[in-house]
Amino acid sequence: MRNTCFLLLLFLFMWAMPQKGYSQKRSQRNVENRITAPDSVLRTPTMNPSVLDTLPAIKSDTIPKSDSTKIAPKGDIQTEIKYYAEDSIITDFESKKVFLHKGAWFEYGLIRLDADLIIIDWEKSEIFASGVTDSLGAIEGNPIFKEGATSYEIRKEMRYNFKSQKAIIKDVVTEQQDGLLRGQTIKKDKDGSIYLDHGFYTTCNLAEPHWHINSSKIKSIRGKQVVTGPFNLYFNNIPTPLGLPFGIIPDTPEEKASGIVFPSYGQEQVRGFFLRNFGYYFAFNDYIHTRVTGDIFSNGGWGAKASTIYKKRYRFSGGFNVDYQKFQSPETELNPVDYNTIWVNWNHSPESRGNSRFSASVNAGTSNYNNVVVNPNSFVQNVKSEFSSNIAYSKTFTGTPFSMSANLRHSQNIQSGEVNLILPDIAVNMNRQNPFQNAKFEPIKTLNIAWNFNLQNTITNRVTPPLGVSSDVVNQGQGISPTQDIIPFNLENLPLLLKNASNGAKNTIPISSNFRLFKYFTGTASANITELWYLEKTNFFYNPVEERVDKILESGFNRVTFYNSSFAMDTNLYGFYNFKGSKKIETIRHHMQPSFGFTLSPDFSDPSFGYYQNVQLDSAGRTQFFSRHQGFVFGGAPLGETKSLNVNIRNTLEAKLKKYNESGEVETKKIPLLQTLNISTNYNFAADSFQLAPIRMDTRTSFFDNKLSLNIAATLDPYAELVTTNPETGAVTGRRVNQFAWKSGQGLGKFRNVTMNINGNLNPAKQGGQAGEMRDQMTDDFLQQGGQLNEFVENEINQIINDPSQYIEWNIPWSFGFGFNIAYNQQPGRESNITSAININGDLSISEKWKITYSGGYDFMTAQLTQSMIGLARDLHCWQMNVSWIPFGRFTSYNLDIRVKSSILQDLKVSRRRSFFD
């Protein structure tokens, strides 16, 4: 027994001595320690070696107590601890501390601490960290503390208890979503809430922020809000008298934050001074947000807006906006104005999944909205006259060739007041089927057939007079008279609108076959069968009393069936011209694609079909054919026999240029000389006059790497024109005659329509390329600057790519865009009409942070400036200022907007020209 005790004491002494000596020796290499729980030596008082030789001491440390297999020792630390230091790790077992020097880090669960000096106190379960002062007095290696996604940049020192997860930090900066908190002394709780003494809050991420709010007491509740006591607003560290007794700042992600929406200020010519878009933003949950704002005007008007956005990940997203405006001039106004107006927008976009899809794009409102409500960001909306909407549902029946769609369509012209509704528009389609795909004969093998069904009901406020046929229809033969009455589209007229609704169904069966002819030609044979279904038809008759043509509707189901057949043949021709001695041009290539087709269709005005009536027009006995379905939703059968030869020639012209790279090697580059040049016409052998149709020509090309584009289109009438002058009135009239122009000495013919458009966009930056390339480039730049990619960042990038005109690129010093258009029109017997205008837009950086934006134009025919806007943008890094001014015209106004800019847009180096909901 004595020998056993002696051996045990000797073993303990030999084991303890190296450990005691190790604490006095500096580490000679990098060390990384992993500890699952503190050693038992650290949990017991330091032993005196002189008492180790006594038997009572041995009895108190019996083997059964320390070697129990049933009771495992359990300390306060349950998670693995890792620590590391570049210079040295010193362990002092007497004080139960570990000293980490230079480039040290400590990890415990979700926390990580980096600093040049870290002291671990096992006795208190505490960590101390600070920087180290070098020989020049500069402090290096200040602590950086991370807990989950939250980081703390510490300027002085910190103490952290990894048992209670509480901390005391001196002079720290921490990021709370888009905001930064800084305080002299900070206390951190276990739940992540922090208490700041003499702290400030800002969204500017510079070391010396442009602005901040300063308060003696600030509390931040992680993921909820930042609450302050009395605070003052500082600009560039200069205090201002602006402040409040307390402040509550949301500390939630930008897509989850509710809060006050501050207004913009300005003045309009009619409604006077205004505060616009003041209200509140409600972030109800992760799926739906709503912004409710109001406008107030000094001359007696007000407005209310509600804007909602919603999104369900992987399913759908959209937005719904309503704007109601009311204005009534003061009684003392010389020209009083009184109106109520409303506008509704709804956009719904589904994700691509499943075999059904629902989408919506609604733009509708009162006809006077865009004439009285000034858009402060883009007056183009004010001068736009056409608006349309569509709500669509489509479904594909899996395993079958069938699909269906249902649409509710709306179109509106706010200048004329015309409104057209298609409620509903239902279509059922069968994809092309190849019933003989196993045949060996190619024309039979490629024979395919499809079926399309379309059902429509249209409602319009353009009402046809109940009696008589318009003289325009009589003169034109077919069509709808432009003199039809337009009635207000309101509830009072709803019975009349529904009564005049037009509906019908259309069946189309296209049959076609493609095959190769004579090795170099491609032939296409096709036939189309169309059948229309209506519940009524029109009977025309001559009224001798009124000497006019009257009509009456006959109810009953009736069918209109017509058909045509065609054969087309096309090929490709290539021509090359090589420049052997040229140093610049290597080759010019000409690609010509001629196409010839022949179309056959019978004369459906034959009385045997019953689709037309030959009706007397006047007492002189003149007659004219009238379609019994003219003005119906799908019209009627075509008039006249067709034996038509169709000709179309498509041309492209390219050049291959020589180019020397940096190493002196020759490279080639293709440039378009003519991107397209199309010439088309047709000749109807069955027509009794004017057999050759007008010749249509169009061409398109671009220059200087697509920075300048040119489009020209023209229509040439090959027939002569007979001009006569009334000797009594002096009126000049003209009409086409059935004789070619060159036979009458009028040249090749007369151009009836000519249009030319020149568009350019110039800036010193390189072209961004395709949208996908621009998106990848912006994403890479954002990540290189230390940004973290998430869904919100991706949405911002997508918005910039999809609508770059709404963002200011501060890295581009200037940009200039222009569009020049000129149009010529001359109809037989009428004077020619020429319109010409130029539009310009762009921006100019007058300094690194100031940019001027402009847009406007000039109408050469009226010799007047078109509606123009001048804007001034100031990049304040974390703030953004936009000033817009419309100097003249009915939309004369100015608008001033100053707001905090999202940190994401700061990192992307762009600014939004407008607020999100505008």
Side-chain angles (χ1 to χ4, degrees):
M1 181 67 179
R2 181 180 297 273
N3 292 336
T4 302
C5 294
F6 176 78
L7 291 174
L8 180 59
L9 289 173
L10 181 62
F11 172 78
L12 291 173
F13 179 80
M14 296 295 292
W15 173 80
M17 285 300 294
Q19 301 293 329
K20 184 71 175 179
Y22 177 78
S23 65
Q24 307 299 324
K25 182 179 181 180
R26 295 181 63 85
S27 173
Q28 300 300 320
R29 60 185 180 88
N30 294 344
V31 181
E32 178 179 335
N33 289 352
R34 289 181 172 84
I35 301 177
T36 56
D39 196 283
S40 59
V41 175
L42 298 179
R43 290 293 177 183
T44 58
T46 304
M47 297 182 182
N48 190 340
S50 62
V51 299
L52 292 177
D53 201 25
T54 61
L55 292 177
I58 297 175
K59 288 181 179 180
S60 63
D61 193 19
T62 60
I63 292 176
K65 178 180 276 190
S66 61
D67 195 28
S68 173
T69 58
K70 296 182 179 180
I71 303 176
K74 185 175 182 180
D76 294 324
I77 301 176
Q78 300 298 318
T79 308
E80 184 181 48
I81 294 177
K82 300 178 183 179
Y83 57 83
Y84 169 82
E86 290 185 1
D87 184 89
S88 61
I89 298 178
I90 302 175
T91 304
D92 187 344
F93 288 99
E94 287 188 355
S95 60
K96 302 175 185 177
K97 294 181 180 180
V98 178
F99 299 85
L100 311 178
H101 294 275
K102 190 65 176 178
W105 55 262
F106 175 92
E107 287 187 355
Y108 173 62
L110 297 177
I111 72 167
R112 178 185 173 96
L113 177 64
D114 293 81
D116 270 6
L117 174 61
I118 298 177
I119 301 175
I120 307 172
D121 190 335
W122 300 114
E123 182 77 21
K124 299 180 180 179
S125 299
E126 185 178 280
I127 306 173
F128 173 85
S130 70
V132 176
T133 304
D134 61 13
S135 58
L136 299 177
I139 299 177
E140 295 181 345
N142 281 326
I144 297 178
F145 178 69
K146 294 181 180 180
E147 185 176 26
T150 305
S151 63
Y152 301 84
E153 183 181 341
I154 302 165
R155 307 291 174 86
K156 291 184 179 179
E157 62 183 44
M158 76 164 291
R159 294 184 181 273
Y160 178 79
N161 190 297
F162 47 81
K163 178 179 177 181
S164 64
Q165 299 183 21
K166 296 182 179 181
I168 296 293
I169 310 172
K170 301 290 186 180
D171 196 358
V172 64
V173 176
T174 179
E175 184 175 0
Q176 305 289 314
Q177 294 302 328
D178 274 350
L180 295 173
L181 283 170
R182 180 174 180 178
Q184 297 300 319
T185 303
I186 288 183
K187 177 183 177 183
K188 175 193 166 299
D189 276 349
K190 180 178 180 180
D191 61 359
S193 300
I194 58 177
Y195 303 83
L196 290 85
D197 179 41
H198 293 90
F200 70 73
Y201 176 86
T202 182
T203 58
C204 182
N205 54 15
L206 296 179
E208 296 295 334
H210 291 111
W211 76 278
H212 67 272
I213 59 172
N214 192 302
S215 178
S216 60
K217 295 180 179 180
I218 300 178
K219 178 182 179 180
S220 172
I221 304 173
R222 179 185 292 179
K224 293 185 178 180
Q225 57 195 12
V226 177
V227 182
T228 76
F231 68 87
N232 283 90
L233 184 63
Y234 282 65
F235 284 99
N236 290 327
N237 286 326
I238 300 174
T240 70
L242 301 177
L244 290 172
F246 67 92
I248 300 177
I249 304 170
D251 181 25
T252 53
E254 185 163 343
E255 64 273 18
K256 298 181 181 180
S258 298
I260 296 175
V261 179
F262 288 93
S264 59
Y265 166 80
Q267 182 183 13
E268 291 183 7
Q269 186 178 29
V270 176
R271 296 191 288 181
F273 294 98
F274 63 78
L275 286 176
R276 178 182 282 130
N277 294 330
F278 178 74
Y280 198 83
Y281 188 97
F282 299 91
F284 295 111
N285 49 45
D286 293 341
Y287 307 107
I288 183 169
H289 294 187
T290 297
R291 190 180 81 160
V292 179
T293 58
D295 307 336
I296 186 168
F297 300 87
S298 61
N299 288 349
W302 60 272
K305 304 175 184 178
S307 304
T308 299
I309 57 174
Y310 56 88
K311 180 170 185 177
K312 187 171 180 61
R313 185 177 294 183
Y314 310 125
R315 297 296 298 274
F316 55 80
S317 63
F320 184 83
N321 304 330
V322 179
D323 183 7
Y324 175 80
Q325 300 284 329
K326 181 177 178 59
F327 182 76
Q328 185 174 4
S329 301
E331 296 180 357
T332 56
E333 191 74 22
L334 295 178
N335 298 310
V337 179
D338 186 1
Y339 63 81
N340 298 326
T341 185
I342 189 172
W343 197 262
V344 178
N345 298 98
W346 178 34
N347 291 283
H348 179 88
S349 301
E351 300 288 343
S352 298
R353 55 177 294 171
N355 56 2
S356 62
R357 175 185 174 90
F358 176 80
S359 63
S361 175
V362 176
N363 296 279
T366 53
S367 59
N368 63 341
Y369 179 86
N370 287 285
N371 293 326
V372 296
V373 179
V374 179
N375 189 318
N377 304 290
S378 176
F379 62 83
V380 175
Q381 190 79 2
N382 290 109
V383 298
K384 188 177 179 181
S385 60
E386 296 282 348
F387 292 91
S388 61
S389 306
N390 184 33
I391 301 175
Y393 174 79
S394 61
K395 182 177 179 62
T396 302
F397 299 96
T398 306
T400 72
F402 295 97
S403 62
M404 64 85 62
S405 64
N407 295 269
L408 306 179
R409 305 182 190 275
H410 152 268
S411 63
Q412 179 178 0
N413 188 307
I414 62 175
Q415 291 184 350
S416 65
E418 182 178 357
V419 178
N420 293 292
L421 300 178
I422 303 180
L423 305 173
D425 179 1
I426 299 175
V428 179
N429 303 303
M430 183 186 74
N431 296 333
R432 292 184 177 271
Q433 302 297 304
N434 297 86
F436 309 109
Q437 56 184 346
N438 295 324
K440 294 183 179 180
F441 186 52
E442 187 177 7
I444 299 299
K445 181 180 180 178
T446 59
L447 182 68
N448 59 77
I449 184 172
W451 172 66
N452 303 307
F453 173 79
N454 188 214
L455 176 67
Q456 285 189 12
N457 178 67
T458 63
I459 301 172
T460 180
N461 63 341
R462 183 183 287 274
V463 178
T464 304
L467 297 175
V469 178
S470 170
S471 58
D472 290 328
V473 177
V474 172
N475 294 331
Q476 296 170 6
Q478 301 297 321
I480 300 176
S481 170
T483 60
Q484 289 173 312
D485 297 330
I486 295 179
I487 63 175
F489 199 95
N490 51 35
L491 292 177
E492 295 179 2
N493 294 323
L494 184 59
L496 180 59
L497 296 174
L498 296 177
K499 180 181 177 181
N500 290 324
S502 176
N503 49 64
K506 180 179 181 180
N507 294 270
T508 305
I509 302 177
I511 305 171
S512 64
S513 176
N514 302 307
F515 44 88
R516 187 170 295 279
L517 289 172
F518 313 116
K519 190 177 180 179
Y520 298 108
F521 294 88
T522 300
T524 302
S526 64
N528 294 279
I529 304 172
T530 303
E531 182 169 287
L532 309 177
W533 295 343
Y534 293 120
L535 298 178
E536 57 188 10
K537 61 182 177 181
T538 306
N539 292 320
F540 296 92
F541 61 94
Y542 176 67
N543 186 340
V545 177
E546 299 292 339
E547 293 187 355
R548 69 185 184 194
V549 177
D550 280 343
K551 63 181 180 179
I552 186 171
L553 292 177
E554 178 184 343
S555 299
F557 178 78
N558 63 100
R559 300 160 50 217
V560 181
T561 304
F562 54 93
Y563 45 86
N564 65 69
S565 61
S566 64
F567 175 79
M569 185 173 61
D570 61 77
T571 187
N572 291 282
L573 302 175
Y574 297 91
F576 297 89
Y577 185 82
N578 298 319
F579 295 81
K580 296 183 178 180
S582 175
K583 296 182 180 180
K584 294 288 186 180
I585 304 176
E586 182 176 310
T587 303
I588 290 180
R589 190 187 79 156
H590 177 207
H591 176 204
M592 179 186 295
Q593 188 178 24
S595 176
F596 304 92
F598 196 79
T599 302
L600 294 174
S601 176
D603 184 5
F604 291 100
S605 65
D606 190 286
S608 61
F609 290 101
Y611 302 151
Y612 282 82
Q613 285 182 287
N614 193 10
V615 182
Q616 181 180 343
L617 297 180
D618 51 32
S619 58
R622 293 188 304 115
T623 61
Q624 179 178 295
F625 280 104
F626 285 87
S627 171
R628 306 184 74 174
H629 305 93
Q630 72 177 29
F632 285 24
V633 61
F634 294 112
L639 175 67
E641 183 182 7
T642 301
K643 293 180 180 178
S644 175
L645 174 65
N646 308 306
V647 180
N648 181 69
I649 302 175
R650 180 179 179 271
N651 299 270
T652 60
L653 200 63
E654 294 179 329
K656 185 181 290 186
L657 303 181
K658 296 179 181 179
K659 184 180 179 181
Y660 294 92
N661 57 20
E662 296 179 355
S663 60
E665 298 178 353
V666 178
E667 295 180 347
T668 58
K669 177 184 178 181
K670 290 182 179 180
I671 62 170
L673 300 179
L674 283 177
Q675 292 178 336
T676 181
L677 172 60
N678 299 324
I679 302 174
S680 63
T681 187
N682 66 79
Y683 189 89
N684 188 0
F685 295 93
D688 57 359
S689 61
F690 302 107
Q691 294 174 313
L692 181 63
I695 302 171
R696 293 173 293 276
M697 298 168 284
D698 64 86
T699 184
R700 173 174 54 88
T701 190
S702 62
F703 308 94
F704 313 115
D705 292 332
N706 295 322
K707 292 183 177 180
L708 184 68
S709 63
L710 171 66
N711 295 270
I712 301 176
T715 301
L716 177 66
D717 185 355
Y719 288 96
E721 182 178 355
L722 178 63
V723 179
T724 59
T725 303
N726 190 319
E728 297 179 358
T729 63
V732 179
T733 60
R735 62 182 180 87
R736 297 173 74 203
V737 295
N738 189 30
Q739 186 177 5
F740 288 115
W742 60 82
K743 292 184 178 181
S744 302
Q746 298 181 12
L748 295 177
K750 180 167 289 188
F751 284 102
R752 298 300 180 189
N753 297 285
V754 180
T755 60
M756 182 178 69
N757 296 289
I758 302 176
N759 297 282
N761 191 359
L762 308 175
N763 62 69
K766 295 182 179 179
Q767 298 297 313
Q770 300 297 324
E773 298 176 0
M774 297 173 63
R775 182 181 292 104
D776 294 340
Q777 181 180 356
M778 293 193 69
T779 302
D780 292 340
D781 293 343
F782 179 74
L783 293 176
Q784 289 176 5
Q785 295 171 11
Q788 295 184 353
L789 198 63
N790 53 41
E791 184 179 0
F792 183 70
V793 177
E794 292 177 352
N795 290 339
E796 287 285 351
I797 294 177
N798 289 333
Q799 289 184 28
I800 297 171
I801 298 301
N802 295 333
D803 196 0
S805 64
Q806 298 301 329
Y807 292 83
I808 300 173
E809 181 75 46
W810 291 97
N811 292 331
I812 298 179
W814 61 268
S815 68
F816 177 73
F818 66 92
F820 171 76
N821 62 81
I822 183 172
Y824 167 84
N825 181 275
Q826 198 276 325
Q827 297 302 319
R830 300 180 182 179
E831 294 184 358
S832 60
N833 180 39
I834 299 176
T835 59
S836 179
I838 186 171
N839 298 304
I840 61 172
N841 64 83
D843 53 61
L844 174 66
S845 296
I846 55 180
S847 70
E848 183 180 358
K849 301 296 183 181
W850 286 94
K851 188 178 285 286
I852 296 176
T853 61
Y854 54 89
S855 62
Y858 183 80
D859 190 326
F860 293 98
M861 297 300 101
T862 61
Q864 291 182 348
L865 293 173
T866 59
Q867 195 71 66
S868 303
M869 176 183 286
I870 301 173
L872 184 64
R874 174 68 164 98
D875 180 16
L876 304 173
H877 182 258
C878 51
W879 287 74
Q880 174 185 338
M881 180 185 72
N882 288 318
V883 179
S884 62
W885 176 41
I886 301 176
F888 55 84
R890 58 175 175 164
F891 303 120
T892 300
S893 61
Y894 71 86
N895 184 75
L896 173 64
D897 187 18
I898 302 177
R899 64 182 65 244
V900 176
K901 184 165 61 174
S902 166
S903 62
I904 293 175
L905 294 183
Q906 296 174 32
D907 295 335
L908 291 175
K909 299 296 185 293
V910 297
S911 296
R912 201 191 308 271
R913 295 184 189 268
R914 59 176 185 170
S915 60
F916 180 77
F917 284 96
D918 287 335

